[in-house]
Amino acid sequence: MTSKEIVDAVISYVRDENAKYAILIDGTWGSGKTYLYENYLVDAIDSVEVGKNERKQNVYISLYGISSIDSLAKQLITNYLIYVKGNGNKLIKKGLKPLAGIIGVASSAFSFSIGPISTDLSNVFEKIEGSIDVKDMVICFDDLERCTIPINEFFGFVNNLIEHCNCKVIILADEKNIGKIYANTNIEEKYLTVISGNRKVVEYIGDGKNTKTQNKGLGKDTNGEITVEEVKKLNEILYSENYLYKDIKEKVIGKTMLYYPALKDVIKEVICGNEKNKGIIQEGQYKEYLLKYINDIVSAFTETENRNLRIIRSWIFLFRKIYEATTKYYSNSKYYEEILNDFLRYSIWVAGAIKKNKKITRSANYGSQDMVYFEGHEYTHIFRYSFIDAWINRDAWSDEDLSQACKSIIKRREQEDVDNPPKIHSTGKALNELRDWYLMEDEQVEEVLEKLVHEVEEGKYAYYDYSNILSTLLYLQVYGLFTGDIKKIQTKMIDMIKKDPDVQEENDFPKNFSSEEIRDKYNELYRPIAEERKIRNREINKEEQEESDIYRSADVFYEHCSKMKNYYCSHKSFIEYLDLDKLLALINISNNEDIYTILQAFKTVYFMGNLKDFYMTDIEGIKRIIEGVKDDDIVKQGGITRKIALSNFVESLKKDLILLGVEE
C-alpha cells in the first residue's frame, strides 16, 4: 500500500468506535515505516474528531530494547506525559523525536513518584487515577520485531489497552522477523542444544557424500554432521517466537497493511523533503542531477532488490563525492553523463551489497575491466570500478583511481562508437502508418502509400528503412493496392545514397515473403541498393582516413587498425577500406621497426583462425600489397635487415592468403 492508502485506512480505523482490535503496518527494515508515522500519520490522527471538538491523544513508543511489561507500562506513562501533557507531539510534527535521554530521565522520575509498576496496566492506572487520564489514546508501538518482551505478554498488554482503555493501537513492524530476536538470546546454550547427540559442526558437506540424507529438512546428516547454516536455521526454528506470534496475532490484530511505497516517490522525498522536513540535498547541481536521473537510480536499487530508506540516504551522501570529483575533472568530456551513470549504477550495487550481505561476483573480462553481477542476478552484468569499492567499503578515496576509471570508460565508449555507429533515424510517418494497412479502407491505404512515396523523394527515410519500404510496396502491389513504379523509387534511393554524408547500416532483420516470386523481385531491387551503400560507406571511411591522415606514420596506422578491427570484421572487408597506394608509400619510407609495426597492424585485423569466413573480398588486395612490397623501389631502400623485415611482412600476408583458401 502507498502512504496515502495507509493514511486513509488509519483515519478510518481511528474513527470506527467498533474497531476493537489493533492494526499492523508491515514493512521491511528501513522501508520508512517510522518516517511514515512521523510525517503523515501523526497529523492525520490529530485531525480526526471522535466527538464534539474532541480528538484522540497520540502517543508513540519504540519497543526497541524493552524487555518487560513493567518497563513498557512505565514507558507508556512517560511518553503520555511528554507527548500529551508536555505537548511533545510538536516535536514529532517537526520531524524530531524526543531524545532517549529525556525519556529515560522522565521515566526514572516517574517511577520514584509512583513506586514499582505492576505488570497489570489497570493497576498502573489506579495508582495515577485522578491526575492523568490515559484512556481513549491512539498508541503507536514501533519496532515490535526488536522487542524482547514475550510475544504473548505483549499482546495481552495491547489487548488490555484496546478492551479496557478504549485505545486504538497501531503496530509498526517487519512481520517476518517478529519473535526471532529470542533465537539470538543465550545463543551459546541454544546452539549446544541444537548440536547435541554427538553432532559435528562443519562449514560445508561436500558433494562426494552421496549417502547424505536429511531428517525432514532439519539438516541431520547420516554421518552426524551439520553445517553452520543448518545450525542457525534449526536454532531459529526451535527458539523463534514467530510461530507463536502467528498463532495468536489474529486475536489482537484485526488488519495488516503492507507498506510498499513507490520507490521513485520515496527517493524523491528523501532528496527534496516534504512539508515538514527539508530534503537531505539542498539546491544545487547535485540535486538537479539526482532528480534528472531518478529513474536510473530507481532501476539500480530495484536490481539489488533494495528499498531500504537508510541505505538510500547513505548512498546519496556517498555518491556526492563521486559526482563532484567526476564533474570537476571530466565535465567537458562528451561521455561525461555516461561516466556518471556507470558510477551511479555500480555504487548503488556496492552500497546494497554491504547492507544486504550480498556478493558482487566477477563473471567475465572486457579488456582490462571486470564484468560483474549482483548475487541472485546472474544475467545482469555491469563493469566493476575498484575506486568505488574502496570509497564505499573502506572510506578510502583516490582522485587518480577515479581518473583511471573515467579514462577506461571513455576509451570503451570511443570503441563502441566505431563498432556501432549511431543510427540515422527516419522522420517519415507513412511507413509506420502502413503497419495497420489491413484495418484501413482501400482509399485510405492508397492515400498513405502516396504519402510514403513523397516522403521517400524528400529524403525522410534513413537507409535502415529502405528494405522495409521495398518489401511493403511489393507486398501491397500483389493485392493491387500499390500501382506505382517501384523501380523509380529504387533509383531515387540509390541517388540519395551517393550523396549521403553519413555512414549508415542496413536492416539486418530477416524478412518473410509470401512467395518465391516476391522474394526474387525484392532481391533484384535491393541488391543494387545494398551494394551502393557499401561503396558509399567505404568512400566516407576513406574520407575520414584522409582527415585523420592514418598513413602519416606506422604507429598511427596501427592505432587506426586496432580501433577499427571490429568494424572491418563485421563488414567482412579490410583491404577495400584502405588506400593501397598510400599504404605502399608508407611502407616505402618506413624503417625496420615501422615495417614490423605495420605487420602487427595487419595481424590485429586478421586475428581469427577462420579468416575465410570474414575476409574473402580481401584476396586481390592482399595480392596487390605483396607485389607492391616486392617492388625493387621498396626493396632496395635498405640493407639486409630491411630485406628480412619486408620478407617477414610478405610471408605473413601469404599465410593470410592460405587461410583465405588461396593455394601457393
Side-chain angles (χ1 to χ4, degrees), residues 413-425 464 502-506 537 540-541 544 564 566-568 570-571 577:
R413 287 294 293 111
E414 287 176 341
Q415 185 62 55
E416 289 171 354
D417 284 347
V418 172
D419 297 341
N420 304 290
K423 284 185 171 61
I424 308 296
H425 295 287
Y464 182 86
D502 300 302
V503 170
Q504 293 194 53
E505 306 298 339
E506 64 182 336
N537 284 351
I540 295 171
N541 190 274
E544 292 174 350
M564 297 292 292
N566 293 335
Y567 181 86
Y568 293 143
S570 64
H571 288 75
Y577 285 88

mmCIF file of all heavy atoms in Angstrom, residues 413-425 464 502-506 537 540-541 544 564 566-568 570-571 577:
data_model
loop_
_atom_site.group_PDB
_atom_site.id
_atom_site.type_symbol
_atom_site.label_atom_id
_atom_site.label_comp_id
_atom_site.label_asym_id
_atom_site.label_seq_id
_atom_site.Cartn_x
_atom_site.Cartn_y
_atom_site.Cartn_z
ATOM 1 N N ARG A 413 33.887 3.612 -24.750
ATOM 2 C CA ARG A 413 32.797 4.237 -25.492
ATOM 3 C C ARG A 413 33.249 4.692 -26.880
ATOM 4 O O ARG A 413 32.478 4.619 -27.844
ATOM 5 C CB ARG A 413 32.236 5.421 -24.702
ATOM 6 C CG ARG A 413 31.409 5.008 -23.500
ATOM 7 C CD ARG A 413 30.132 4.276 -23.915
ATOM 8 N NE ARG A 413 29.232 5.172 -24.621
ATOM 9 C CZ ARG A 413 28.940 5.086 -25.912
ATOM 10 N NH1 ARG A 413 29.450 4.121 -26.669
ATOM 11 N NH2 ARG A 413 28.122 5.944 -26.469
ATOM 12 N N GLU A 414 34.477 5.164 -26.992
ATOM 13 C CA GLU A 414 35.002 5.529 -28.316
ATOM 14 C C GLU A 414 35.042 4.312 -29.228
ATOM 15 O O GLU A 414 34.696 4.405 -30.418
ATOM 16 C CB GLU A 414 36.400 6.132 -28.170
ATOM 17 C CG GLU A 414 36.406 7.536 -27.587
ATOM 18 C CD GLU A 414 37.798 8.083 -27.362
ATOM 19 O OE1 GLU A 414 38.762 7.276 -27.307
ATOM 20 O OE2 GLU A 414 37.946 9.313 -27.228
ATOM 21 N N GLN A 415 35.461 3.170 -28.659
ATOM 22 C CA GLN A 415 35.499 1.946 -29.459
ATOM 23 C C GLN A 415 34.088 1.505 -29.846
ATOM 24 O O GLN A 415 33.851 1.074 -30.990
ATOM 25 C CB GLN A 415 36.196 0.831 -28.678
ATOM 26 C CG GLN A 415 36.392 -0.458 -29.475
ATOM 27 C CD GLN A 415 37.275 -0.269 -30.684
ATOM 28 O OE1 GLN A 415 38.396 0.199 -30.568
ATOM 29 N NE2 GLN A 415 36.777 -0.615 -31.858
ATOM 30 N N GLU A 416 33.156 1.629 -28.939
ATOM 31 C CA GLU A 416 31.773 1.251 -29.238
ATOM 32 C C GLU A 416 31.178 2.143 -30.324
ATOM 33 O O GLU A 416 30.382 1.685 -31.145
ATOM 34 C CB GLU A 416 30.924 1.321 -27.961
ATOM 35 C CG GLU A 416 31.252 0.224 -26.962
ATOM 36 C CD GLU A 416 30.563 0.421 -25.629
ATOM 37 O OE1 GLU A 416 29.913 1.480 -25.446
ATOM 38 O OE2 GLU A 416 30.674 -0.470 -24.759
ATOM 39 N N ASP A 417 31.554 3.421 -30.324
ATOM 40 C CA ASP A 417 31.061 4.326 -31.367
ATOM 41 C C ASP A 417 31.578 3.918 -32.738
ATOM 42 O O ASP A 417 30.889 4.080 -33.753
ATOM 43 C CB ASP A 417 31.493 5.767 -31.066
ATOM 44 C CG ASP A 417 30.652 6.393 -29.960
ATOM 45 O OD1 ASP A 417 29.615 5.811 -29.611
ATOM 46 O OD2 ASP A 417 31.050 7.459 -29.457
ATOM 47 N N VAL A 418 32.813 3.386 -32.754
ATOM 48 C CA VAL A 418 33.378 2.909 -34.026
ATOM 49 C C VAL A 418 32.692 1.623 -34.461
ATOM 50 O O VAL A 418 32.303 1.463 -35.623
ATOM 51 C CB VAL A 418 34.898 2.671 -33.880
ATOM 52 C CG1 VAL A 418 35.449 1.979 -35.127
ATOM 53 C CG2 VAL A 418 35.608 3.996 -33.661
ATOM 54 N N ASP A 419 32.542 0.693 -33.516
ATOM 55 C CA ASP A 419 31.953 -0.610 -33.844
ATOM 56 C C ASP A 419 30.468 -0.499 -34.182
ATOM 57 O O ASP A 419 29.954 -1.239 -35.025
ATOM 58 C CB ASP A 419 32.128 -1.571 -32.669
ATOM 59 C CG ASP A 419 33.591 -1.849 -32.376
ATOM 60 O OD1 ASP A 419 34.425 -1.612 -33.265
ATOM 61 O OD2 ASP A 419 33.896 -2.292 -31.254
ATOM 62 N N ASN A 420 29.785 0.428 -33.519
ATOM 63 C CA ASN A 420 28.347 0.593 -33.736
ATOM 64 C C ASN A 420 28.026 2.065 -33.944
ATOM 65 O O ASN A 420 27.606 2.749 -32.996
ATOM 66 C CB ASN A 420 27.564 0.059 -32.532
ATOM 67 C CG ASN A 420 27.896 -1.380 -32.219
ATOM 68 O OD1 ASN A 420 27.546 -2.278 -32.966
ATOM 69 N ND2 ASN A 420 28.575 -1.599 -31.102
ATOM 70 N N PRO A 421 28.235 2.562 -35.153
ATOM 71 C CA PRO A 421 27.960 3.982 -35.418
ATOM 72 C C PRO A 421 26.509 4.318 -35.074
ATOM 73 O O PRO A 421 25.607 3.500 -35.289
ATOM 74 C CB PRO A 421 28.197 4.113 -36.935
ATOM 75 C CG PRO A 421 29.066 2.957 -37.296
ATOM 76 C CD PRO A 421 28.683 1.857 -36.357
ATOM 77 N N PRO A 422 26.278 5.496 -34.501
ATOM 78 C CA PRO A 422 24.902 5.876 -34.162
ATOM 79 C C PRO A 422 24.002 5.880 -35.390
ATOM 80 O O PRO A 422 24.412 6.332 -36.464
ATOM 81 C CB PRO A 422 25.057 7.292 -33.581
ATOM 82 C CG PRO A 422 26.399 7.764 -34.039
ATOM 83 C CD PRO A 422 27.252 6.554 -34.192
ATOM 84 N N LYS A 423 22.816 5.336 -35.234
ATOM 85 C CA LYS A 423 21.892 5.217 -36.366
ATOM 86 C C LYS A 423 21.272 6.561 -36.718
ATOM 87 O O LYS A 423 20.966 7.376 -35.851
ATOM 88 C CB LYS A 423 20.780 4.212 -36.040
ATOM 89 C CG LYS A 423 21.235 2.763 -36.116
ATOM 90 C CD LYS A 423 20.055 1.836 -35.904
ATOM 91 C CE LYS A 423 20.434 0.388 -36.195
ATOM 92 N NZ LYS A 423 21.498 -0.116 -35.335
ATOM 93 N N ILE A 424 21.106 6.785 -38.022
ATOM 94 C CA ILE A 424 20.340 7.928 -38.508
ATOM 95 C C ILE A 424 18.873 7.508 -38.487
ATOM 96 O O ILE A 424 18.509 6.467 -39.050
ATOM 97 C CB ILE A 424 20.760 8.321 -39.939
ATOM 98 C CG1 ILE A 424 22.281 8.496 -40.024
ATOM 99 C CG2 ILE A 424 20.023 9.572 -40.373
ATOM 100 C CD1 ILE A 424 22.824 9.618 -39.187
ATOM 101 N N HIS A 425 18.030 8.269 -37.849
ATOM 102 C CA HIS A 425 16.626 7.879 -37.704
ATOM 103 C C HIS A 425 15.756 8.525 -38.775
ATOM 104 O O HIS A 425 15.990 9.661 -39.195
ATOM 105 C CB HIS A 425 16.106 8.266 -36.323
ATOM 106 C CG HIS A 425 16.782 7.525 -35.209
ATOM 107 N ND1 HIS A 425 16.541 6.193 -34.958
ATOM 108 C CD2 HIS A 425 17.709 7.923 -34.298
ATOM 109 C CE1 HIS A 425 17.277 5.801 -33.936
ATOM 110 N NE2 HIS A 425 18.002 6.832 -33.518
ATOM 111 N N TYR A 464 18.291 2.520 -43.098
ATOM 112 C CA TYR A 464 17.802 1.429 -42.256
ATOM 113 C C TYR A 464 16.411 0.962 -42.678
ATOM 114 O O TYR A 464 16.072 -0.218 -42.569
ATOM 115 C CB TYR A 464 17.791 1.915 -40.804
ATOM 116 C CG TYR A 464 17.358 0.903 -39.775
ATOM 117 C CD1 TYR A 464 18.261 0.012 -39.220
ATOM 118 C CD2 TYR A 464 16.033 0.848 -39.341
ATOM 119 C CE1 TYR A 464 17.865 -0.911 -38.263
ATOM 120 C CE2 TYR A 464 15.630 -0.060 -38.385
ATOM 121 C CZ TYR A 464 16.549 -0.938 -37.849
ATOM 122 O OH TYR A 464 16.145 -1.851 -36.901
ATOM 123 N N ASP A 502 26.794 10.553 -44.382
ATOM 124 C CA ASP A 502 26.973 9.721 -43.185
ATOM 125 C C ASP A 502 27.034 8.241 -43.525
ATOM 126 O O ASP A 502 26.390 7.776 -44.473
ATOM 127 C CB ASP A 502 25.817 9.939 -42.208
ATOM 128 C CG ASP A 502 25.716 11.376 -41.740
ATOM 129 O OD1 ASP A 502 26.708 11.866 -41.178
ATOM 130 O OD2 ASP A 502 24.658 11.999 -41.952
ATOM 131 N N VAL A 503 27.805 7.510 -42.727
ATOM 132 C CA VAL A 503 27.793 6.047 -42.804
ATOM 133 C C VAL A 503 26.468 5.552 -42.246
ATOM 134 O O VAL A 503 26.044 5.977 -41.173
ATOM 135 C CB VAL A 503 28.958 5.443 -41.993
ATOM 136 C CG1 VAL A 503 28.802 3.933 -41.880
ATOM 137 C CG2 VAL A 503 30.291 5.800 -42.627
ATOM 138 N N GLN A 504 25.814 4.665 -42.976
ATOM 139 C CA GLN A 504 24.563 4.074 -42.491
ATOM 140 C C GLN A 504 24.585 2.574 -42.733
ATOM 141 O O GLN A 504 25.104 2.118 -43.762
ATOM 142 C CB GLN A 504 23.346 4.694 -43.188
ATOM 143 C CG GLN A 504 23.118 6.164 -42.851
ATOM 144 C CD GLN A 504 21.736 6.619 -43.278
ATOM 145 O OE1 GLN A 504 20.730 6.006 -42.929
ATOM 146 N NE2 GLN A 504 21.683 7.705 -44.045
ATOM 147 N N GLU A 505 24.019 1.841 -41.779
ATOM 148 C CA GLU A 505 24.000 0.384 -41.869
ATOM 149 C C GLU A 505 22.620 -0.111 -42.275
ATOM 150 O O GLU A 505 21.605 0.557 -42.064
ATOM 151 C CB GLU A 505 24.401 -0.233 -40.526
ATOM 152 C CG GLU A 505 25.736 0.270 -39.988
ATOM 153 C CD GLU A 505 26.900 -0.053 -40.902
ATOM 154 O OE1 GLU A 505 26.790 -0.983 -41.725
ATOM 155 O OE2 GLU A 505 27.934 0.633 -40.802
ATOM 156 N N GLU A 506 22.597 -1.326 -42.830
ATOM 157 C CA GLU A 506 21.324 -1.862 -43.304
ATOM 158 C C GLU A 506 20.529 -2.506 -42.178
ATOM 159 O O GLU A 506 21.031 -2.723 -41.078
ATOM 160 C CB GLU A 506 21.582 -2.890 -44.401
ATOM 161 C CG GLU A 506 22.345 -4.128 -43.942
ATOM 162 C CD GLU A 506 22.621 -5.093 -45.070
ATOM 163 O OE1 GLU A 506 21.877 -5.059 -46.065
ATOM 164 O OE2 GLU A 506 23.564 -5.887 -44.957
ATOM 165 N N ASN A 537 29.735 3.800 -47.980
ATOM 166 C CA ASN A 537 30.318 3.707 -46.642
ATOM 167 C C ASN A 537 31.843 3.659 -46.705
ATOM 168 O O ASN A 537 32.530 4.287 -45.890
ATOM 169 C CB ASN A 537 29.783 2.471 -45.919
ATOM 170 C CG ASN A 537 28.363 2.651 -45.419
ATOM 171 O OD1 ASN A 537 27.810 3.750 -45.460
ATOM 172 N ND2 ASN A 537 27.759 1.572 -44.956
ATOM 173 N N ILE A 540 33.161 7.148 -47.539
ATOM 174 C CA ILE A 540 33.124 8.035 -46.364
ATOM 175 C C ILE A 540 34.239 7.662 -45.397
ATOM 176 O O ILE A 540 34.908 8.533 -44.824
ATOM 177 C CB ILE A 540 31.753 7.955 -45.665
ATOM 178 C CG1 ILE A 540 30.652 8.489 -46.592
ATOM 179 C CG2 ILE A 540 31.759 8.730 -44.355
ATOM 180 C CD1 ILE A 540 29.248 8.248 -46.080
ATOM 181 N N ASN A 541 34.453 6.345 -45.243
ATOM 182 C CA ASN A 541 35.511 5.883 -44.356
ATOM 183 C C ASN A 541 36.879 6.352 -44.837
ATOM 184 O O ASN A 541 37.725 6.786 -44.046
ATOM 185 C CB ASN A 541 35.472 4.357 -44.262
ATOM 186 C CG ASN A 541 36.375 3.815 -43.174
ATOM 187 O OD1 ASN A 541 37.550 3.606 -43.393
ATOM 188 N ND2 ASN A 541 35.797 3.590 -42.006
ATOM 189 N N GLU A 544 37.359 9.943 -44.060
ATOM 190 C CA GLU A 544 37.725 10.117 -42.652
ATOM 191 C C GLU A 544 39.187 9.750 -42.428
ATOM 192 O O GLU A 544 39.882 10.371 -41.613
ATOM 193 C CB GLU A 544 36.812 9.262 -41.772
ATOM 194 C CG GLU A 544 35.353 9.736 -41.761
ATOM 195 C CD GLU A 544 34.443 8.796 -41.003
ATOM 196 O OE1 GLU A 544 34.908 7.687 -40.644
ATOM 197 O OE2 GLU A 544 33.271 9.149 -40.779
ATOM 198 N N MET A 564 39.607 0.037 -35.446
ATOM 199 C CA MET A 564 38.585 -0.315 -36.439
ATOM 200 C C MET A 564 38.440 -1.811 -36.684
ATOM 201 O O MET A 564 37.624 -2.219 -37.511
ATOM 202 C CB MET A 564 38.918 0.367 -37.769
ATOM 203 C CG MET A 564 38.908 1.878 -37.740
ATOM 204 S SD MET A 564 37.252 2.557 -37.509
ATOM 205 C CE MET A 564 36.481 2.093 -39.069
ATOM 206 N N ASN A 566 37.053 -4.360 -35.217
ATOM 207 C CA ASN A 566 35.714 -4.944 -35.085
ATOM 208 C C ASN A 566 34.791 -4.465 -36.202
ATOM 209 O O ASN A 566 33.936 -5.214 -36.692
ATOM 210 C CB ASN A 566 35.112 -4.592 -33.730
ATOM 211 C CG ASN A 566 35.845 -5.256 -32.578
ATOM 212 O OD1 ASN A 566 36.471 -6.303 -32.754
ATOM 213 N ND2 ASN A 566 35.790 -4.655 -31.404
ATOM 214 N N TYR A 567 34.967 -3.200 -36.587
ATOM 215 C CA TYR A 567 34.159 -2.651 -37.682
ATOM 216 C C TYR A 567 34.458 -3.396 -38.975
ATOM 217 O O TYR A 567 33.547 -3.805 -39.701
ATOM 218 C CB TYR A 567 34.456 -1.161 -37.838
ATOM 219 C CG TYR A 567 33.659 -0.484 -38.931
ATOM 220 C CD1 TYR A 567 32.389 0.016 -38.675
ATOM 221 C CD2 TYR A 567 34.174 -0.347 -40.220
ATOM 222 C CE1 TYR A 567 31.649 0.636 -39.670
ATOM 223 C CE2 TYR A 567 33.447 0.270 -41.225
ATOM 224 C CZ TYR A 567 32.189 0.765 -40.947
ATOM 225 O OH TYR A 567 31.465 1.368 -41.939
ATOM 226 N N TYR A 568 35.745 -3.585 -39.273
ATOM 227 C CA TYR A 568 36.120 -4.295 -40.503
ATOM 228 C C TYR A 568 35.632 -5.735 -40.476
ATOM 229 O O TYR A 568 35.173 -6.272 -41.496
ATOM 230 C CB TYR A 568 37.640 -4.258 -40.684
ATOM 231 C CG TYR A 568 38.199 -2.883 -40.967
ATOM 232 C CD1 TYR A 568 39.418 -2.476 -40.441
ATOM 233 C CD2 TYR A 568 37.504 -1.971 -41.765
ATOM 234 C CE1 TYR A 568 39.933 -1.209 -40.698
ATOM 235 C CE2 TYR A 568 38.005 -0.708 -42.030
ATOM 236 C CZ TYR A 568 39.220 -0.334 -41.485
ATOM 237 O OH TYR A 568 39.718 0.907 -41.746
ATOM 238 N N SER A 570 32.998 -6.961 -38.861
ATOM 239 C CA SER A 570 31.548 -7.024 -39.036
ATOM 240 C C SER A 570 31.136 -6.714 -40.477
ATOM 241 O O SER A 570 30.086 -7.169 -40.942
ATOM 242 C CB SER A 570 30.852 -6.064 -38.069
ATOM 243 O OG SER A 570 31.196 -4.721 -38.360
ATOM 244 N N HIS A 571 31.964 -5.929 -41.207
ATOM 245 C CA HIS A 571 31.656 -5.591 -42.599
ATOM 246 C C HIS A 571 32.370 -6.508 -43.596
ATOM 247 O O HIS A 571 32.271 -6.317 -44.806
ATOM 248 C CB HIS A 571 32.020 -4.137 -42.876
ATOM 249 C CG HIS A 571 31.096 -3.164 -42.224
ATOM 250 N ND1 HIS A 571 31.135 -2.892 -40.878
ATOM 251 C CD2 HIS A 571 30.087 -2.412 -42.721
ATOM 252 C CE1 HIS A 571 30.199 -2.014 -40.571
ATOM 253 N NE2 HIS A 571 29.543 -1.709 -41.663
ATOM 254 N N TYR A 577 38.702 -0.943 -47.664
ATOM 255 C CA TYR A 577 38.597 0.339 -46.967
ATOM 256 C C TYR A 577 39.919 1.115 -46.977
ATOM 257 O O TYR A 577 39.965 2.255 -46.524
ATOM 258 C CB TYR A 577 38.152 0.118 -45.513
ATOM 259 C CG TYR A 577 36.695 -0.214 -45.376
ATOM 260 C CD1 TYR A 577 36.247 -1.533 -45.443
ATOM 261 C CD2 TYR A 577 35.751 0.790 -45.192
ATOM 262 C CE1 TYR A 577 34.903 -1.841 -45.319
ATOM 263 C CE2 TYR A 577 34.401 0.492 -45.062
ATOM 264 C CZ TYR A 577 33.981 -0.828 -45.131
ATOM 265 O OH TYR A 577 32.645 -1.126 -45.016
#
